[in-house]
Amino acid sequence: ALLPKPAPAKLWVSHADHHHEPASKSVACVRREEDVEANSCMPADTCARYVMDNLAKPQDVAVVRDMLQWLVAEAFGGGAGPPSVVDLHTGTISYKDKFVLLQKLMDFKNLTFTEEQVAAYNAVRDSVHSKARELFQAPGLKAEMSFFSHINSTKAAQNTHDEYWHPHIDTEQYSTFAVTSILYLNEHTAEYDGGAFRFADDDRAAKEALGGSGGGAWS
């Protein structure tokens, strides 16, 4: 069954704005007793959304972006559909309709990461992690999972997992998540169009993200 089309969103932050200090919006906290690990590292009264520019050094971001494109190209174009995922923590990469071990691919093609790539990746990841702990006043926050999504809009979706645009709630998929951080490695309008990020602003929109009826407020 087709999910209902989300209501038009109110613009909160434009790509034309430049936020050297984070733009912020407070939201109601939702804590579930069963999410013990996530609750243990997050203060219950500091739930918010933040958007900022220049979080990581441009030269490091450029190295990481080139590394991602290189890996996807070496994986014969990555996934069969638009998104290809590179997960350096589980050591997997998209290949056609499945995930394969990244190390096996690199061994097969005689590939190795350069010192520059490793240093840039660690610097970018540490910058995101440090800023998240600062903004959410959560020194115990851990960088549990990091992965890259490479979108090739010339490919058609092959299954529902390729349809990355559907509303969803991360904590429904990963119970240990307390914060989700997204770092764009390219520049909107300069290197791609579309791809606006939408937030559910009320209970109805949140239920819509889980497959309920439409009509909620989005930004």
Side-chain angles (χ1 to χ4, degrees):
L2 294 175
L3 292 175
K5 185 177 181 180
K10 298 177 294 183
L11 182 63
W12 174 39
V13 177
S14 168
H15 73 274
D17 299 332
H18 294 282
H19 296 277
H20 299 290
E21 295 298 324
S24 64
K25 183 175 184 179
S26 296
V27 295
C29 291
V30 177
R31 294 285 184 265
R32 300 181 302 187
E33 291 184 4
E34 59 267 32
D35 296 339
V36 177
E37 188 173 351
N39 293 339
S40 67
C41 65
M42 281 293 292
D45 58 349
T46 56
C47 295
R49 302 170 187 152
Y50 298 96
V51 175
M52 67 178 299
D53 294 303
N54 302 319
L55 176 59
K57 294 180 179 179
Q59 58 268 35
D60 288 335
V61 171
V63 171
V64 172
R65 180 177 60 194
D66 290 345
M67 180 186 71
L68 172 60
Q69 293 174 327
W70 165 66
L71 289 172
V72 171
E74 293 290 355
F76 307 99
S84 294
V85 174
V86 178
D87 190 332
L88 298 182
H89 293 265
T90 62
T92 57
I93 187 170
S94 298
Y95 172 65
K96 295 186 177 179
D97 61 349
K98 59 177 70 71
F99 287 100
V100 298
L101 292 175
L102 179 59
Q103 189 61 55
K104 291 287 188 182
L105 172 71
M106 297 186 75
D107 289 345
F108 174 70
K109 303 197 76 173
N110 196 27
L111 306 173
T112 58
F113 291 111
T114 67
E115 291 184 3
E116 181 185 35
Q117 288 171 333
V118 173
Y121 171 74
N122 286 332
V124 169
R125 186 169 179 265
D126 289 348
S127 293
V128 175
H129 184 205
S130 176
K131 182 57 68 172
R133 288 192 297 182
E134 173 193 330
L135 292 174
F136 289 97
Q137 302 174 39
L141 193 65
K142 296 180 175 62
E144 179 188 68
M145 179 180 179
S146 301
F147 61 88
F148 299 102
S149 293
H150 177 280
I151 307 296
N152 184 343
S153 62
T154 66
K155 295 182 178 180
Q158 303 297 310
N159 53 56
T160 54
H161 296 292
D162 287 341
E163 298 174 354
Y164 54 87
W165 51 85
H166 291 309
H168 66 277
I169 297 176
D170 283 346
T171 51
E172 294 293 323
Q173 299 170 287
Y174 308 101
S175 62
T176 57
F177 274 24
V179 171
T180 297
S181 302
I182 298 177
L183 177 68
Y184 285 86
L185 300 178
N186 47 8
E187 188 75 22
H188 188 245
T189 69
E191 297 170 298
Y192 73 98
D193 291 313
F197 201 91
R198 295 160 56 96
F199 291 101
D201 280 337
D202 58 20
D203 289 344
R204 188 166 182 178
K207 291 176 181 177
E208 181 182 345
L210 296 176
S213 59
W218 296 79
S219 64

